[in-house]
Amino acid sequence: MTSQFQTFLTAAMRRPGVIGAVAPSSPGLADLLAAITPSTGSPTVVELGPGTGAVTAAIQRRLPATGSHVAVEIDQAMVRFLKSAHPGVEVVHGDAASLTDLGVKADAVVSGLPWALFQPARQRRILDQIAAVLRPDGAFTTFAYRHAGAMSGARSFHRLLHAVFDEVIVSHTVWRNMPASPDLRVQKAVSCAVA
């Protein structure tokens, strides 16, 4: 078992209502989420809920050397892991619901948060924070578990996306998100744009 997977599994077992997944994102999902990362200029990318860094690595591959990458993680053990595994990333131990406290303006926000597990008020607070830090031409992307679509939290999140953002685009499904059990983690990415 790799140290990345072991760190992830330990955190998920310790705080399942916060982590909300059984394994790190696959390379296919990570690349799809990171696709909104600008590859030129000096962009700022904010990543929410990076876990052990599967998507972090994909963002780093796209981000130009002049860009900055801020990763906000609520789990202290994952913060330590990320700082060690991705020394070029500014890793912040914090809550996405307080995103504006960072004082950054983002060209892109990439989220790995377990939206379906959050109450609607928390979902709205985080989405409002994302909209507040995005530049006018910025983009936000996240993913949802296809099998969780019937959950009240997932339905609420879908409605809130349309309430907060002017444009919501749903991607194709990433069927092979978890190599060992592709049928367990069927996901779609959602990209949103602000006015």
Side-chain angles (χ1 to χ4, degrees):
M1 184 182 306
T2 67
S3 63
Q4 178 187 26
F5 187 74
Q6 187 173 17
T7 300
F8 190 95
L9 188 60
T10 301
M13 289 177 10
R14 186 177 64 249
R15 301 173 76 186
V18 173
I19 305 305
V22 295
S25 297
S26 71
L29 179 62
D31 287 341
L32 181 61
L33 290 169
I36 68 164
T37 301
S39 58
T40 61
S42 300
T44 297
V45 177
V46 175
E47 183 182 7
L48 305 176
T52 54
V55 178
T56 307
I59 292 169
Q60 286 292 293
R61 285 192 297 273
R62 282 191 57 87
L63 192 67
T66 53
S68 62
H69 182 175
V70 180
V72 181
E73 174 57 54
I74 201 165
D75 185 86
Q76 186 62 51
M78 289 195 190
V79 167
R80 286 190 298 273
F81 182 88
L82 280 167
K83 285 183 176 182
S84 172
H86 300 280
V89 176
E90 180 185 347
V91 181
V92 177
H93 181 229
D95 188 338
S98 300
L99 193 54
T100 55
D101 292 350
L102 296 177
V104 300
K105 281 295 185 183
D107 298 286
V109 176
V110 179
S111 171
L113 298 176
W115 296 102
L117 299 180
F118 298 156
Q119 293 298 315
R122 181 162 174 76
Q123 292 174 346
R124 181 63 192 239
R125 168 97 174 129
I126 295 171
L127 288 172
D128 285 345
Q129 291 281 296
I130 292 167
V133 303
L134 274 174
R135 295 185 192 281
D137 59 347
F140 163 58
T141 189
T142 190
F143 67 91
Y145 296 108
R146 192 177 239 325
H147 65 272
M151 293 175 62
S152 63
R155 291 192 314 269
S156 166
F157 179 65
H158 182 76
R159 285 189 303 272
L160 286 169
L161 282 173
H162 288 278
V164 174
F165 297 99
D166 289 336
E167 181 179 27
V168 176
I169 301 168
V170 179
S171 78
H172 65 279
T173 299
V174 180
W175 292 104
R176 296 199 50 128
N177 187 42
M178 193 165 105
S181 302
D183 57 326
L184 293 179
R185 297 189 71 212
V186 177
Q187 301 173 340
K188 296 184 91 135
V190 177
S191 293
C192 306
V194 294

